[in-house]
Amino acid sequence: MAVIDLVKWDGSPYLLAWKFPSEELSTWTQLVVNETQEAYLVRGGVYDGPFGAGRHTLSTENLPLLRKLIGLPFGGRSPFSAEVWYVNKVTNLDIKWGTPDPIQLQDPRYQVMVPVRAFGQYGIRVADSKRFLLKLVGTLPGFDVSTMADYFKGAFTTKIKTAIAASIINAGISVLEVTTRLEELSAMLRDALAPEMEEYGLELAQFNIHSINVPEDDPAVQSLKAALAKKAEMSIMGFTWQQERSFDVLQTAAGNEGSAGGVMGAGLGLGIGAGIGGQVGQAMGQAGGVMSTNLQQPQPASPEPPLDQAKRIELLRQLAELRSQGILTEAEFAAEKQKILSR
């Protein structure tokens, strides 16, 4: 193999380390190193360098290992065998990561088991070229970003899963709300993962969590989201869950009872039992007494106290809801409405 006169590397930015393919050099070989690179000369397992940006002449004047070669004439053009390693010092910011399988944890707020996934990206740069070559690259002909990501995948996955689960549980927040803490979690994970990479001469330039989510097709997730959607709907309409259930019972009773009076009686009893009928139950009870033809005429009641505007509006809203569900007819609704407005 011919002796090489010029050594240089114009490689891919995704290649972190690269070995020059020939080992036949001479004491006058020109070593060219770019601004974003460092180079090492390796002979017999000994690393000589680093060589920074610029053009370097391989000679006994700047290479201690050459001065130790037995029989090498001083000066002149003498061949020798050695490896030349280049290290890319550019920061790579677009390295993707993700949890290969969901994290199974109990939602602290809703107490249901849900699978949690996370993904994002991070950036690295070679901070200590010699340590990087010795501890991670070894005898490989090259070392790229994807190979590096595979090396750290196991350690990253374990630490990421543990940190995310601990953060959610300790904060007592729902998995569905954790997206508000992505910046805080990203900083925490960067601090936790940086020492792992420093051991191999790498610097974790940045670490970002893009998303923490749950699989949409998981049955537990679907049930939880449906319950939350129902809760939001009732909150907008001004109902509680107990009130919603009571209205469902009233609607069922409306379809089964034979008379309006029976419906009103059932509505009154259920409304009071569920805690929703203090006002609506009273109005419906009065309506039931008026409409029932098979009950005795009730004794005259003492005058009822007048209603303030807010209470009157609330009663009218509840009556309108009963009408929309088919529990009250238009005539019954009009009669009860008149009673409320007259108070």
Side-chain angles (χ1 to χ4, degrees), residues 209-251:
I209 302 174
H210 289 170
S211 176
I212 298 177
N213 56 57
V214 292
E216 295 293 334
D217 57 351
D218 185 83
V221 175
Q222 291 177 342
S223 298
L224 177 58
K225 288 192 172 184
L228 292 176
K230 187 65 175 177
K231 178 183 177 182
E233 178 186 354
M234 290 189 295
S235 177
I236 293 172
M237 296 178 65
F239 296 146
T240 64
W241 182 85
Q242 291 85 354
Q243 289 172 329
E244 178 73 8
R245 291 297 301 143
S246 297
F247 283 133
D248 291 342
V249 173
L250 286 172
Q251 188 171 10

Side-chain angles (χ1 to χ4, degrees), residues 8-89:
K8 66 178 299 187
W9 175 42
D10 297 315
S12 165
Y14 296 102
L15 198 59
L16 298 177
W18 177 76
K19 184 174 74 171
F20 189 74
S22 175
E23 299 180 10
E24 300 302 318
L25 309 174
S26 80
T27 52
W28 294 103
T29 296
Q30 298 296 299
L31 176 65
V32 179
V33 183
N34 294 336
E35 288 281 355
T36 58
Q37 301 170 349
E38 280 184 349
Y40 280 86
L41 198 68
V42 185
R43 186 179 185 277
V46 178
Y47 284 74
D48 209 343
F51 293 89
R55 181 183 289 266
H56 308 272
T57 300
L58 303 184
S59 67
T60 56
E61 295 179 3
N62 59 13
L63 292 174
L65 66 86
L66 293 185
R67 290 197 292 268
K68 297 178 181 179
L69 292 177
I70 299 175
L72 182 64
F74 183 80
R77 190 179 184 83
S78 303
F80 65 95
S81 295
E83 299 175 358
V84 177
W85 275 96
Y86 281 91
V87 176
N88 185 1
K89 304 285 286 186

Side-chain angles (χ1 to χ4, degrees), residues 139-150:
T139 59
L140 296 173
F143 199 90
D144 60 16
V145 170
S146 64
T147 304
M148 184 278 304
D150 288 339

Side-chain angles (χ1 to χ4, degrees), residues 95-101 103 116-122 160 164 179 182 186 189 207-214:
I95 307 173
K96 302 293 192 299
W97 66 267
T99 52
D101 53 276
I103 311 165
V116 180
R117 302 176 300 190
F119 65 90
Q121 71 180 58
Y122 62 95
I160 289 170
I164 290 176
T179 51
L182 292 185
S186 296
L189 279 168
F207 186 91
N208 294 315
I209 302 174
H210 289 170
S211 176
I212 298 177
N213 56 57
V214 292

